[in-house]
Amino acid sequence: MITRSETRRERYDEKLKTAKKYPISLCAINFRVDDNLGYLVRSAACFGAERLYVIGHVPERSNIKATSGSLIDYVEIIQFSTPSEFVARMQLEGIKIVAGELVEKAKSLITYNFNFDRPICVVVGNEETGVPTEILQSADVVHIPMPGVGYCLNTSQAANILLYEAVKQFEEKNEKD
């Protein structure tokens, strides 16, 4: 059997020395299922997002720790009470909102080009209610094409795909420049 001599925290702290951070953040809408928020903390940490904005309820740290893979200490969580408060903050800070949602005029993620002239925030909706209209009106709206029988992913799965594509495009842009 192979055993590790370092703790998870020690491995994270070591990787932190070379980890990349991107001008990308993630936003979640009013989660009542604590597991999803933990998974989104993990997604943000793995893809180099420094912040996770949460509109609505943020559970106790202990409820997020296990599903975040203990990455809760590596991602800043900023809470907002309402979608309008979030949108106002993004406008104030010059952050472009890109929302993942299944709506009629959403652009396919396959053909969408992230614009990194300013920081971006990827928004994923609540599994029951989606992304609030107020945010959609202030965002580029994209959808993840799903050619199989299913049409809707779990929130954390959608966040992983959106973050992956944003990071991939950022890296490709920097290679060209």
Side-chain angles (χ1 to χ4, degrees), residues 13-173:
D13 287 343
E14 185 61 30
K15 188 172 182 190
L16 186 61
K17 295 174 186 174
T18 59
K20 292 184 178 182
K21 293 288 185 179
Y22 294 94
I24 301 167
S25 54
L26 180 61
C27 177
I29 309 298
N30 194 26
F31 282 87
R32 288 177 235 151
V33 178
D34 296 341
D35 287 352
N36 275 329
L37 191 55
Y39 295 136
L40 290 173
V41 167
R42 183 183 289 193
S43 298
C46 288
F47 287 106
E50 290 184 289
R51 283 178 205 86
L52 173 60
Y53 299 106
V54 178
I55 300 170
H57 175 68
V58 175
E60 295 294 320
R61 181 186 183 286
S62 61
N63 292 339
I64 300 172
K65 187 176 178 187
T67 54
S68 77
S70 298
L71 288 163
I72 186 79
D73 296 326
Y74 299 89
V75 176
E76 180 183 11
I77 296 177
I78 299 173
Q79 184 179 19
F80 296 94
S81 298
T82 65
S84 61
E85 184 184 349
F86 166 75
V87 170
R89 174 81 171 266
M90 295 302 100
Q91 290 172 343
L92 180 69
E93 293 187 14
I95 297 172
K96 174 70 178 167
I97 302 171
V98 180
E101 185 61 274
L102 296 170
V103 293
E104 191 174 315
K105 294 190 179 185
K107 299 170 186 161
S108 170
L109 185 61
I110 292 172
T111 58
Y112 181 76
N113 291 310
F114 287 90
N115 182 344
F116 296 103
D117 290 343
R118 58 188 175 145
I120 65 166
C121 181
V122 174
V123 179
V124 292
N126 177 281
E127 291 187 20
E128 293 178 18
T129 60
V131 177
T133 303
E134 185 173 352
I135 293 173
L136 295 176
Q137 292 171 343
S138 300
D140 283 358
V141 184
V142 299
H143 72 90
I144 301 166
M146 292 171 248
V149 68
Y151 62 88
C152 183
L153 292 169
N154 168 278
T155 299
S156 62
Q157 293 169 332
N160 284 328
I161 292 168
L162 294 167
L163 287 170
Y164 173 83
E165 184 61 26
V167 168
K168 183 182 95 169
Q169 287 186 28
F170 184 88
E171 289 289 344
E172 289 170 350
K173 180 184 179 291

